[in-house]
Amino acid sequence: MKNFVALALLFLVSATSAADGTLLERALTCELPDEAVGSLLVTLGAEHTGFERPVARYALPTIDIYELEEPVTAHGYASRQVAVSPGRILLVVPIDSIATVARDLNLKEVPFSGARRPVRPSVTIVALQLSHKIIADKILVGCEYAFRSAAEWFQLVEQ
């Protein structure tokens, strides 16, 4: 009986630890509940000083880069930089090859679109490489939320 109780407690602690990832970690790993997608940037701005304002803003494609005080971990990578574009939240990792990330995360490379793997309807793990100055030699790894509310993230933040 003692073994059963110990095993049950171990399982409970393990399950709680996995579910206890921060909101940012859950967003980056595509574990964000659908109802939390629309308010993500507003909530992150209130929770993290690094999300108060981006350190860099780019157009074509539109992307904001945020610098956090502490590194965040997602998909086995860690970084202090997070990139946000309409519908995407991505960790900026110092890796020079999408092929490496695609192999590590079992993503399918798509010409001119990086690499991707659907997680559930309207939610996809993505890896991208962009040519914007501050992130040109890095890979962006995270989640794409194909929700109208995620496409409007910048409108909500600027209001």
Side-chain angles (χ1 to χ4, degrees):
M1 183 67 167
K2 287 181 184 180
N3 288 342
F4 175 75
V5 172
L7 185 59
L9 286 173
L10 179 62
F11 177 75
L12 182 61
V13 168
S14 298
T16 303
S17 297
D20 279 347
T22 67
L23 176 66
L24 178 55
E25 291 168 336
R26 290 190 321 261
L28 288 163
T29 57
C30 299
E31 298 171 7
L32 193 64
D34 295 353
E35 62 273 7
V37 170
S39 61
L40 177 64
L41 288 189
V42 173
T43 305
L44 288 176
E47 289 183 0
H48 296 275
T49 55
F51 273 98
E52 291 172 345
R53 89 178 60 92
V55 294
R57 297 189 109 165
Y58 299 102
L60 301 171
T62 301
I63 195 160
D64 287 354
I65 310 298
Y66 296 89
E67 188 80 33
L68 305 177
E69 291 178 3
E70 298 292 325
V72 63
T73 302
H75 301 291
Y77 301 103
S79 177
R80 291 179 47 229
Q81 290 183 324
V82 175
V84 177
S85 66
R88 291 180 180 154
I89 184 160
L90 309 150
L91 194 61
V92 180
V93 295
I95 294 177
D96 59 358
S97 167
I98 283 186
T100 301
V101 176
R103 184 188 65 241
D104 290 349
L105 300 179
N106 195 28
L107 306 179
K108 180 181 178 188
E109 289 189 70
V110 180
F112 309 108
S113 296
R116 52 191 348 55
R117 176 171 44 91
V119 175
R120 62 184 194 267
S122 303
V123 179
T124 305
I125 296 173
V126 295
L128 308 167
Q129 187 165 26
L130 300 175
S131 60
H132 302 316
K133 184 179 180 180
I134 197 171
I135 56 174
D137 58 343
K138 299 174 182 162
I139 301 295
L140 309 177
V141 181
C143 194
E144 179 178 89
Y145 294 94
F147 296 98
R148 180 183 178 103
S149 58
E152 297 172 345
W153 279 342
F154 290 108
Q155 295 171 5
L156 292 173
V157 174
E158 293 172 359
Q159 291 178 357

